[in-house]
Amino acid sequence: MSPSNPSSPSQPAPISGPAAAGAPDDAAPAALTARAPHVPADRLVAEMVPPPRFQSARFETYIPDPAQPSQAEAVQVLSSFAASIGGPASPSGGRRRWFSKKPEAPKGPRGVYLDGGYGVGKTHLLASLWHATPAAPELKAFGTFVELTNLVGALGFQETVRTLSGHRLLCIDEFELDDPGDTVLVSSLLAKLVEHGVALAATSNTLPGKLGEGRFAAADFLREIQGLSAHFRPLRIDGEDYRHRGLPEAPAPFDEQTVTRVAYATPGASLDGFPALLDHLSKVHPSRYGAMCDGIRAVCLTDVQAVPDQSTALRLVVLADRLYDREVPVLASGKPFDELFSEDMLKGGYRKKYFRAISRLTALARDAKQLTEK
């Protein structure tokens, strides 16, 4: 759900030259490198809803794996949790009191933490919880951990508390423990929101193939948020990555000529050189990456290379998340997406982010294959 008058991104510059040979001038694709949109703070708040990919997500559309009973259990627990989040609606923009008398301490945890590996459907379940909670959309918030820290940066801590304290539910996707400063910041924010009666739900990832790491991740989460641990019930969700379950392997990169041809033949496509795009990302705040993708129907990238450093890699992770949220297929030439990050990166403190990005970009690359068949 977007505000009625979102800020418009700057118009992309047309691409000309040999790459455009054989294509009409008005068919030139957009360029992400020509976009540096301004995103007002009120848009950041208004867009704290499940992303387009999960707008139709419901508990009924989540298909538990029969071999993984924890998945069906998670649906039952979250359905009950959604029903427990009640109370009269508050006036828009005002602070809410859930009861006419002094509130009693809520029974049971006021938060749920979904712990599991990649592609087991945690975000689907989190979005289903948002949809199932009986409250107006403006009284529920849904965003990634990064988006929440961006909101604090845009509004300031106290204003963020004031803005979200009237909500009944805050869903945080991909809670991250690799940045101590941000973790403490968000933990402090959650403590304030719990005082106002806001129910919480969060997800985080564990690495594929790491037996037992899920439970360790849950312990990490509860330890990091310290005083809030009593408010969360950890739910372990086991299973394989559904994006690869029974599906063919991700397609290999295409040649540059094919990527360019598809970019010109696909309405709403963008076309960028990968090195230039990485450089452009360093000049645009990550909170604007979503707006940068407004109206883009497919992303075409040439000369994909391994990212040169950690800062660049983290920015790319955010862009991958925004593209995945919007279901934008990605067609690329150069290196395959599983070679984007160095071995040291995949063993380091940000490895969970990098594995998530690889998983999501692989899914988007698979989606893009059909564009070459037209």
Side-chain angles (χ1 to χ4, degrees):
M1 180 173 59
S2 301
S4 57
N5 294 302
S7 175
S8 297
S10 58
Q11 293 299 315
I15 299 176
S16 59
D25 292 340
D26 59 359
L32 295 179
T33 51
R35 296 181 166 203
H38 169 70
V39 184
D42 58 352
R43 173 172 171 173
L44 295 177
V45 177
E47 292 188 339
M48 291 193 72
V49 297
R53 179 178 284 270
F54 298 101
Q55 280 293 337
S56 61
R58 299 295 187 274
F59 291 128
E60 295 78 11
T61 60
Y62 179 82
I63 310 300
D65 184 343
Q68 304 293 345
S70 61
Q71 296 184 8
E73 179 188 3
V75 172
Q76 295 175 355
V77 171
L78 290 173
S79 297
S80 298
F81 183 64
S84 73
I85 305 174
S90 66
S92 179
R95 294 199 176 191
R96 167 182 53 81
R97 290 183 65 100
W98 285 19
F99 308 90
S100 57
K101 299 180 181 180
K102 182 178 180 180
E104 298 178 1
K107 296 180 180 179
R110 292 297 293 164
V112 177
Y113 166 65
L114 307 182
D115 170 49
Y118 298 90
V120 298
K122 298 186 303 301
T123 301
H124 184 125
L125 290 171
L126 193 68
S128 299
L129 171 65
W130 189 93
H131 288 295
T133 297
E138 62 268 20
L139 296 180
K140 301 181 287 187
F142 184 109
T144 64
F145 181 88
V146 171
E147 289 171 322
L148 190 58
T149 58
N150 287 338
L151 182 66
V152 176
L155 299 183
F157 184 84
Q158 295 300 331
E159 182 63 17
T160 303
V161 171
R162 191 199 68 79
T163 299
L164 298 180
S165 62
H167 285 56
R168 295 187 191 170
L169 174 68
L170 171 61
C171 296
I172 308 171
D173 200 19
E174 301 155 8
F175 199 104
E176 298 172 355
L177 302 174
D178 43 34
D179 188 320
D182 282 347
T183 300
V184 171
L185 173 68
V186 173
S187 299
S188 300
L189 173 63
L190 299 187
K192 292 291 185 182
L193 296 181
V194 167
E195 292 176 3
H196 287 85
V198 181
L200 307 173
T203 72
S204 189
N205 288 319
T206 56
L207 286 172
K210 297 292 185 180
L211 296 178
E213 186 170 343
R215 300 186 186 280
F216 177 74
D220 279 355
F221 178 84
L222 297 179
R223 183 183 66 246
E224 290 291 344
I225 60 176
Q226 298 176 2
L228 291 178
S229 60
H231 299 285
F232 281 86
R233 171 181 176 176
L235 283 179
R236 172 67 180 172
I237 304 176
D238 299 299
E240 299 177 24
D241 187 334
Y242 79 91
R243 291 182 286 267
H244 306 293
R245 195 183 302 158
L247 294 174
E249 292 294 324
F254 291 88
D255 60 81
E256 184 171 333
Q257 183 178 7
T258 298
V259 173
T260 302
R261 174 182 61 79
V262 169
Y264 278 91
T266 304
S270 65
L271 176 62
D272 294 274
F274 189 69
L277 178 60
L278 294 184
D279 180 66
H280 183 64
L281 293 180
S282 69
K283 303 170 186 176
V284 179
H285 192 275
S287 65
R288 302 179 181 181
Y289 290 1
M292 189 170 69
C293 299
D294 283 351
I296 298 298
R297 304 294 297 275
V299 167
C300 297
L301 300 173
T302 59
D303 193 22
V304 170
Q305 305 173 7
V307 293
D309 55 71
Q310 195 126 262
S311 296
T312 302
L314 293 174
R315 288 190 289 266
L316 181 60
V317 168
V318 177
L319 178 63
D321 287 341
R322 300 293 79 78
L323 293 174
Y324 182 79
D325 289 345
R326 289 161 172 76
E327 300 183 290
V328 179
V330 179
L331 191 74
S333 69
K335 288 184 174 295
F337 288 132
D338 59 2
E339 296 181 16
L340 283 173
F341 309 108
S342 69
E343 185 175 348
D344 287 343
M345 290 180 180
L346 295 178
K347 292 180 179 179
Y350 296 108
R351 63 192 186 280
K352 294 180 182 179
K353 292 184 179 182
Y354 300 147
F355 274 102
R356 182 179 78 231
I358 291 171
S359 177
R360 292 185 165 186
L361 288 172
T362 295
L364 297 178
R366 185 182 297 120
D367 293 342
K369 187 176 181 180
Q370 62 182 338
L371 298 176
T372 67
E373 300 169 352
K374 295 182 179 180

